[in-house]
Amino acid sequence: MAKEHVKAPVDRSGTPLVSLEDISIAFGGIQAVDKVSLDLYPGEVVGLLGHNGAGKSTLIKCLSGAYQRDSGTIRIDGEVADIGSPSDARRYNIETIYQTLALADNLDAPSNLFLGRELTTPLGLVDDAKMEAETRKIMARLNPNFRKINEPVSALSGGQRQSVAIARAVYFNARILIMDEPTAALGVHETAMVADLIKELKAQGLGIFLISHDTREMMDLCDRVSVMKNGKMVGTEKVEDVTEDDILSMIILGKNPVREAA
């Protein structure tokens, strides 16, 4: 059963954790993202919605370093950030969890958590015991019910696999987390498990960009929602100021009823 969480107010009086300013990127003459601006504060979940091809994933891939923007500025903690690759993004404590998760199915949770960043003994050997102990610690913090530490991740449920991917990001000091359709193809129980993880990360002060097609999930998990259409930003609103119908209107019609009513 999902835990009850009270959505704490987000302090937006200070410097944003992330500022995307007038980001543009085109592919073969098609303007995928057109002068889009968006910010994210510590302890905030901002949802990105829009039809396929709206530009939301492309925008976020400019932050993750997967794409290089044509113009615009990225700021982290108010300072201009030079992000040209995923390794650059990681240096700014930005981690991305894609729908595919990028887990090695034949390896267990500790091996996946430290894949490519293995802990070693003073003799230079892989320290399996240390990696298992560290995995148990981070899992106890994120998902206390996780028990299958030593089983291949191929044997895990979808929600448990998400737990491993999220634990990997958090262990390596992610402050900014990008989650692309984290509950796609998951059942009700598994979706609730991932929702609890997201709320726990928010409570720990991480900033999260959440990409999803599920408007109800967005209303539950996010503090603000941003809708894109045809590469442009339709609007960004606090969830308490909009209804699901408002969001659908923004997605389908490309109009912001909140602003039009103001």
Side-chain angles (χ1 to χ4, degrees):
M1 183 178 293
K3 295 177 287 188
E4 289 297 322
H5 291 261
V6 176
K7 193 177 286 185
V10 175
D11 181 5
R12 300 189 186 91
S13 62
T15 302
L17 186 56
V18 180
S19 289
L20 304 174
E21 303 171 356
D22 292 327
I23 303 295
S24 293
I25 181 172
F27 300 105
I30 297 173
Q31 197 69 43
V33 176
D34 188 5
K35 294 184 178 178
V36 170
S37 296
L38 182 62
D39 54 27
L40 176 72
Y41 288 82
E44 182 178 39
V45 183
V46 172
L48 273 171
L49 298 105
H51 288 307
N52 289 336
K56 58 190 186 300
S57 292
T58 302
L59 173 69
I60 287 302
K61 284 180 178 177
C62 291
L63 177 63
S64 72
Y67 292 156
Q68 293 198 35
R69 63 198 180 280
D70 296 327
S71 61
T73 303
I74 298 174
R75 296 181 190 274
I76 306 295
D77 294 320
E79 299 292 327
V80 174
D82 183 14
I83 300 175
S85 69
S87 60
D88 289 339
R90 282 193 291 273
R91 281 198 290 273
Y92 288 101
N93 300 109
I94 300 166
E95 292 281 350
T96 304
I97 299 173
Y98 293 109
Q99 193 175 331
T100 53
L101 296 182
L103 297 176
D105 281 347
N106 59 316
L107 300 179
D108 60 15
S111 297
N112 267 285
L113 199 150
F114 291 98
L115 190 62
R117 296 183 273 195
E118 288 80 5
L119 301 180
T120 56
T121 67
L123 296 176
L125 302 174
V126 174
D127 194 339
D128 290 314
K130 176 73 170 173
M131 292 194 301
E132 180 176 333
E134 291 297 303
T135 301
R136 289 185 184 279
K137 268 200 286 190
I138 190 71
M139 282 301 186
R141 180 174 136 205
L142 291 176
N143 185 0
N145 296 319
F146 189 93
R147 297 284 183 266
K148 300 180 179 179
I149 293 287
N150 300 119
E151 294 190 27
V153 297
S154 59
L156 304 182
S157 68
Q160 291 168 334
R161 288 167 62 87
Q162 281 282 3
S163 296
V164 175
I166 291 169
R168 181 170 59 191
V170 174
Y171 183 84
F172 289 101
N173 299 315
R175 295 178 61 223
I176 301 151
L177 198 59
I178 299 166
M179 304 185 75
D180 190 358
E181 299 283 357
T183 61
L186 296 185
V188 174
H189 175 72
E190 299 294 307
T191 296
M193 180 191 299
V194 174
D196 281 341
L197 284 169
I198 291 171
K199 291 171 182 176
E200 178 62 30
L201 296 172
K202 168 183 162 59
Q204 293 176 18
L206 274 73
I208 301 172
F209 281 120
L210 179 63
I211 300 172
S212 176
H213 287 91
D214 188 333
T215 54
R216 183 167 298 176
E217 177 180 73
M218 290 297 209
M219 295 292 284
D220 176 45
L221 294 175
C222 297
D223 300 285
R224 291 185 294 154
V225 289
S226 295
V227 176
M228 292 184 65
K229 185 177 177 66
N230 300 329
K232 294 181 179 292
M233 182 62 75
V234 177
T236 299
E237 301 294 340
K238 297 177 184 177
V239 292
E240 61 262 31
D241 293 338
V242 291
T243 64
E244 282 190 62
D245 285 343
D246 290 334
I247 295 173
L248 289 172
S249 177
M250 294 166 77
I251 293 170
I252 297 168
L253 303 176
K255 295 180 180 180
N256 187 341
V258 176
R259 297 301 172 202
E260 289 181 3

